[in-house]
Amino acid sequence: MSVVAPLPSRKLVTASYLLIAGALLLIMWQGLLPGLLCVCIGFLGTRWFARLFDAGLDRLLRARSRPDVADPPSSWSRIVAATLVSLAPIGLGILAFSEAREFVLNAPEQYQELLDYIARTVLELRLKLPPDIGAYLPEGTAEVQRIIAGYLRAQAGALALTGRAWLGGLLFAYVGLIVGALAGVARHASGGRPLAELLKQRITLFGEAFGQIVAAQFWIAAFNTLLTAIFLLFVLPHWELNLPYTPALITLTFIAGLVPIVGNLLCNTVITLVGLSVSPITALACLAFLILIHKAEYFINAKVVGARTQMGVWELLAVMFVAEAVFGPAGLVAAPLFYAYLKKELQAARLV
């Protein structure tokens, strides 16, 4: 005669919901969203690589005519996968530094060239604008450099805080990646603790929602990359305007586009600055196109994510606008994920 496990009490279920909701609010309040996203990436990435290694080892064993070994050592594959996920950012950082070394060494010359270019552009504007308006523009390279130095001096405190915030965000993100990788390796036997089991259910649903959002964001990044490639390879050359480093910019668009909203803003800024190095008209054309893409990102994101998570476009748009108003850009990034998780909880409870 089988024994049916007792259902958890209403107090325990409520406590599990409150703990998860409190943790998510604390993450948003303290600006730990990059760490949370990297925890999910580290966990899912470790499990994905582990399954990949398991499948490869299984094929290798079968090819060597060893059918007696049915299950490959999954603990070994998980350890290798966790190590790979944890060390990948360090390897990418070293590669990026080696590639950017020449750019850093040539930075003073490029800075002087940029100053000369800005001074020539400002001089052309002074000649074309009415004298009363042109008098407000700087007269040469020395004055442009003085204005830039004065602005940087005035904004030194804000720049330092911004740099500290970015450094802290990167540190939290890397620590979160390691935590997620270690969680992907860990094996926890069920001890029959009801609250722990309920929290595990909440976290599992959150992970499923994150996986759906990542899959949707992949297609959004691919769509943005396609539009950007058409613009850079066909539209601008049609107007006899060509941007340097076009293949690198297209690659950056896809990689940065995997990060919702913020990644799009990053590649928009880079492409506009590259366009400015060609001409002000090119920069304005890039800016206008990229602003259009950024505004369309709301609807593209809502449509694709809604299709993946069974959410209406109007639902996701409303949540994104409200979250941005409350938490700023971080809320805009978190809104699809948190709302997808909420919808999964409601569906699991058969309330919607």
Side-chain angles (χ1 to χ4, degrees):
M1 183 176 179
S2 61
V3 179
V4 179
L7 293 175
S9 66
R10 187 182 296 268
K11 290 183 179 179
L12 287 176
V13 175
T14 304
S16 68
Y17 286 129
L18 290 177
L19 285 173
I20 292 297
L24 294 179
L25 287 175
L26 181 64
I27 285 169
M28 297 301 298
W29 178 40
Q30 293 296 324
L32 300 178
L33 182 62
L36 174 65
L37 297 179
C38 285
V39 167
C40 298
I41 292 172
F43 181 83
L44 295 179
T46 299
R47 290 294 178 89
W48 184 82
F49 278 118
R51 288 194 299 268
L52 191 66
F53 293 152
D54 280 347
L57 186 57
D58 183 59
R59 286 195 298 269
L60 180 62
L61 292 175
R62 292 180 186 278
R64 292 187 176 184
S65 301
R66 294 187 58 185
D68 55 307
V69 185
D71 295 322
S74 58
S75 59
W76 173 86
S77 63
R78 289 190 179 193
I79 292 173
V80 173
T83 304
L84 178 63
V85 170
S86 301
L87 296 181
I90 297 177
L92 292 175
I94 294 174
L95 179 63
F97 178 78
S98 63
E99 292 293 329
R101 185 172 172 225
E102 184 178 352
F103 174 79
V104 173
L105 293 176
N106 295 332
E109 298 178 4
Q110 294 174 358
Y111 173 70
Q112 189 60 44
E113 292 176 1
L114 179 61
L115 281 181
D116 294 338
Y117 174 77
I118 293 175
R120 290 195 304 271
T121 304
V122 171
L123 181 59
E124 292 177 4
L125 290 175
R126 283 176 62 93
L127 296 176
K128 294 178 181 178
L129 292 173
D132 296 338
I133 299 177
Y136 291 98
L137 298 177
E139 296 181 354
T141 305
E143 191 170 355
V144 170
Q145 188 167 6
R146 181 181 59 80
I147 293 173
I148 293 175
Y151 175 79
L152 293 177
R153 196 181 307 114
Q155 300 295 327
L159 291 173
L161 290 176
T162 302
R164 194 176 304 131
W166 274 96
L167 185 61
L170 289 175
L171 178 62
F172 281 128
Y174 185 62
V175 171
L177 190 71
I178 296 176
V179 169
L182 294 177
V185 174
R187 288 178 175 272
H188 299 289
S190 177
R193 299 179 179 88
L195 182 58
E197 291 299 321
L198 289 172
L199 288 175
K200 184 178 179 181
Q201 293 176 15
R202 307 281 85 80
I203 294 172
T204 300
L205 287 177
F206 187 86
E208 292 176 0
F210 181 80
Q212 291 178 338
I213 296 299
V214 168
Q217 194 63 37
F218 175 84
W219 293 109
I220 293 171
F223 181 74
N224 287 343
T225 304
L226 175 63
L227 293 182
T228 304
I230 292 173
F231 178 73
L232 296 180
L233 296 176
F234 298 101
V235 177
L236 285 181
H238 180 71
W239 294 338
E240 297 182 355
L241 300 172
N242 294 285
L243 260 63
Y245 314 113
T246 297
L249 292 175
I250 294 174
T251 304
L252 174 65
T253 301
F254 178 75
I255 295 175
L258 296 175
V259 180
I261 309 299
V262 177
N264 195 19
L265 291 175
L266 172 65
C267 61
N268 289 0
T269 304
V270 172
I271 292 175
T272 303
L273 291 176
V274 174
L276 183 62
S277 68
V278 176
S279 70
I281 299 299
T282 306
L284 288 176
C286 292
L287 185 60
F289 170 77
L290 296 170
I291 287 176
L292 179 64
I293 292 297
H294 173 60
K295 296 306 178 184
E297 175 104 349
Y298 279 94
F299 299 95
I300 297 170
N301 201 327
K303 184 67 176 176
V304 176
V305 173
R308 289 269 175 177
T309 56
Q310 293 81 46
M311 292 186 291
V313 175
W314 67 270
E315 295 179 72
L316 200 50
L317 279 175
V319 170
M320 290 167 67
F321 283 125
V322 171
E324 184 182 21
V326 176
F327 296 107
L332 196 60
V333 174
L337 174 59
F338 287 8
Y339 188 66
Y341 166 63
L342 175 63
K343 201 73 178 284
K344 278 189 167 294
E345 289 285 6
L346 295 175
Q347 289 172 348
R350 298 182 179 179
L351 296 177
V352 295

